[in-house]
Amino acid sequence: MTIDRTEVDGKVVLRVAGRMDAENAVLFERECESCLTDGVRALVIDLTDLKYVSSMGLRSFVMIGQKLKEKGGDFRICCLTGLVRQVFEITRLNQVLPLHDSLESALVGG
Amino acid sequence: MPDTPKTLTLIAKPASLGSVTEFVRMGAREAELPDLHIRQLELLIEEIFINISRYSYPENSPGSVTISYAVPKAGELHVEVGDQGIEFDPLSAPAPDLTLSLEERPVGGLGIYLLKTLAGSLSYRREQGWNRLRFGISAES
């Protein structure tokens, strides 16, 4: 798994690629935590190139979403495909985390 | 097509996940499963294996896991996972409440639900000290 961090219009975009599983989900969590520590309150996760996520990865999304909400921040996720989209739908995380079809739409407003 | 089950036995520890995944991928290739089904298979085996390696055996005393697969016909893969840890039937685990808001949601507890939802067939039996969990994945589902 690789995570690229960029800033667009005052929002931090983390582009996560590869596979997020029980072994490395914690790395994603740490990267998000470090954004929160840096005072970031608008976080966009771009999953265009994420091919796989297991329940340990979903756990990280829930945890970060909760932390950001607690701080009054804005957490958005975009560009889910294949299995990743399927597991967000099965677990109904698509109902509680804001999902966007494109990075452009995830960057609008907020 | 050969239908002799292939078997892998290894110590139940999270660090072995890569070897386990690679093993079932061989089965997926044999069964000629499409990409999405291969990823589903990887997810199922991860949820099962990580669960066993975390909870089945006493901490500091990991036991073994035996995984076998068979390809009854093209497009179909059967996998059985056996361990001799504490008795645990994932089919009896209560379903998570998916209607809760983000704030109310427990962070974990989705693995078994994914397993039950994505497996084409799923069965458990306790047999002479073994937990035996079987699941199937079919290109047609």
Side-chain angles (χ1 to χ4, degrees):
Chain A
M1 181 180 67
T2 60
I3 305 173
D4 288 325
R5 178 172 169 168
T6 51
E7 277 197 48
V8 185
D9 303 334
K11 297 182 170 80
V12 167
V13 178
L14 296 182
R15 193 180 167 101
V16 186
R19 299 167 57 85
M20 192 186 297
D21 60 19
E23 291 237 73
N24 63 17
V26 66
L27 301 178
F28 169 68
E29 220 170 286
R30 275 190 211 141
E31 186 66 33
C32 293
E33 298 264 14
S34 109
C35 290
L36 299 193
T37 309
D38 293 347
V40 173
R41 292 296 175 265
L43 193 55
V44 176
I45 313 294
D46 181 349
L47 299 183
T48 306
D49 294 315
L50 188 72
K51 303 299 178 205
Y52 176 91
V53 67
S54 66
S55 67
M56 285 304 285
L58 296 179
R59 190 177 185 278
S60 303
F61 281 99
V62 171
M63 195 182 291
I64 297 302
Q66 288 175 340
K67 284 190 180 169
L68 210 48
K69 196 156 191 178
E70 213 178 274
K71 293 179 189 295
D74 197 7
F75 186 50
R76 299 178 184 191
I77 303 167
C78 74
C79 313
L80 295 80
T81 62
L83 177 78
V84 177
R85 171 170 291 280
Q86 195 177 26
V87 299
F88 270 79
E89 286 171 357
I90 291 173
T91 56
R92 292 210 218 162
L93 285 178
N94 59 342
Q95 310 280 319
V96 295
L97 291 169
L99 305 190
H100 294 260
D101 286 336
S102 68
L103 179 59
E104 291 69 28
S105 106
L107 288 169
V108 171
Chain B
M1 186 164 299
D3 188 26
T4 323
K6 313 280 192 309
T7 299
L8 172 74
T9 297
L10 74 186
I11 298 293
K13 53 180 185 186
S16 302
L17 177 62
S19 311
V20 171
T21 305
E22 194 41 55
F23 176 69
V24 293
R25 256 191 220 133
M26 291 193 316
R29 281 195 291 268
E30 248 179 68
E32 298 166 20
L33 293 180
D35 279 355
L36 180 64
H37 293 74
I38 296 177
R39 300 224 161 90
Q40 289 174 345
L41 166 72
E42 292 170 3
L43 180 72
L44 298 175
I45 200 74
E46 175 178 335
E47 302 301 348
I48 296 167
F49 181 73
I50 291 295
N51 228 24
I52 293 172
S53 51
R54 293 228 162 107
Y55 306 116
S56 200
Y57 294 104
E59 224 180 324
N60 304 323
S61 169
S64 64
V65 177
T66 296
I67 300 154
S68 57
Y69 70 77
V71 179
K73 59 177 183 175
E76 204 167 315
L77 181 69
H78 292 172
V79 180
E80 183 175 294
V81 184
D83 72 86
Q84 293 173 285
I86 53 164
E87 182 169 354
F88 177 64
D89 174 7
L91 279 80
S92 67
D97 185 349
L98 302 180
T99 64
L100 296 176
S101 68
L102 179 62
E103 297 91 320
E104 295 166 326
R105 280 220 183 196
V107 289
L110 296 173
I112 289 173
Y113 182 70
L114 283 171
L115 171 65
K116 285 184 189 171
T117 311
L118 284 172
S121 60
L122 186 64
S123 66
Y124 168 84
R125 65 182 197 280
R126 180 78 179 177
E127 190 182 68
Q128 295 172 337
W130 283 80
N131 292 306
R132 293 195 190 279
L133 188 65
R134 293 187 76 156
F135 67 90
I137 196 149
S138 163
E140 280 160 28
S141 62

